[in-house]
Amino acid sequence: MSSSGMRRALCRAVLTASLLVPRLDSEARERLVFGTNWKAEAEHGGFYQALAEGRYARYGLDIEIRPGGPMVNILHLLAAGLLDAAMLSNNAQSVNLHLRRVPVVTVAAFFQREPQALLTHPGSPHASIADMKGAPILISMDTRETWWRYFKLKFGFSDTQIRPYTFQMAPFLADKDAIVQGYITSEPFMLRHEGVDPRIFPIADTGWPSYSTLIAVPRRLSDGKPDVVQAFIDASIEGWYSYLYGDPRPANRLIRADNPEMTEELIAYGIAAMKAHGIVDSGDALARGIGAMTWERLDSFFEVMAADGVYPEALDHRAAYDLRFVNKGHGLTMRR
């Protein structure tokens, strides 16, 4: 065959292939605005991967990822109807929204393990979190109503130990006896660049039963358009498998575009830490797929918090969740 004939044959093949792929114009897709709980980072990688690889588009969705940050109140935006989906940090936020009668529901949990930890200097005398009873600890305002309450119940911690944490490491670096909260996936990396190799005490290792990085949507969406919610969850699940076990560069480009302060080295560290600590793909997700939630674990979280008086024991906490969209093993074949 001549070179011109080969070109014509190739053009026909490309045209035929293009006709076999459904074309969804942006106007025909369901538009959703998804708010994250912080600035773009590796911990959001699966969602950015689903966007970068066109997985949301293939499910008929037009997704805008709207990053959060220290001055962005995701829960207020969700409650006000300004977001179609929002990333929650833990189960406490799910139950709190229900307790306040906000018409939203949690539909997936993308982190099986809490990524937060307590960090100390390498010469610290503390051998465990239990040993930190009575010691000053830098924590954020939000933390006081979540795993700190659990630590008070389990280890006898007291509010007199609390020192304010404003997401700046300078106070920790200046005090060799300090203890500070931080994400396993980021703060240790940044501290090592400051010459401190911290000791890391994961919150999840204490038995803290909460999931993390949960997805909440308005009930008008889960009840009125469950197929749209299912599409968003399925595409996000695929994005996470692709991000963890495939080539993460498509997502990383979008992450760095949304957050120019994020470096390739920090992103790579975050991915490695998520894998090493089983943050995403462990626990219930191993058999049920990423995003999994079980009533057993959700009940366990509520019982722990109700025992500390955080919630009334008669509260129907299960009404805060809708498990129709997960636990189906979706994407398991993508795991390597």
Side-chain angles (χ1 to χ4, degrees), residues 84-98:
D84 302 299
M87 182 187 297
L88 308 185
S89 296
N90 49 57
N91 290 108
Q93 292 183 333
S94 299
V95 180
N96 288 345
L97 287 167
H98 170 60

Side-chain angles (χ1 to χ4, degrees), residues 28 31 33 72 88 92 113-114 124 126 140 146 158 160-161 176 205 210 219 255 268 287 310 315 321 325 327 329:
R31 177 170 170 76
V33 180
V72 180
L88 308 185
R113 283 172 57 85
E114 171 63 64
S124 168
H126 303 294
S140 67
T146 56
S158 166
T160 59
Q161 296 178 240
K176 300 223 179 288
D205 288 352
S210 179
R219 288 189 179 276
I255 289 171
V310 179
L315 180 68
Y321 307 97
F325 308 102
N327 302 332

Side-chain angles (χ1 to χ4, degrees), residues 21 25 261:
V21 177
D25 295 331
E261 296 177 358

Side-chain angles (χ1 to χ4, degrees), residues 91 112-114 116 129-130 147 150-151 153-155 201-211 296-297 299-305:
N91 290 108
Q112 293 293 305
R113 283 172 57 85
E114 171 63 64
Q116 291 197 70
I129 288 180
W147 50 261
Y150 173 70
F151 283 5
L153 185 67
K154 181 164 186 172
F155 301 121
F201 299 89
I203 301 302
D205 288 352
T206 68
W208 169 241
S210 179
Y211 294 111
E296 179 181 11
R297 188 162 166 188
D299 290 345
S300 175
F301 168 81
F302 178 76
E303 289 164 7
V304 164
M305 299 301 274

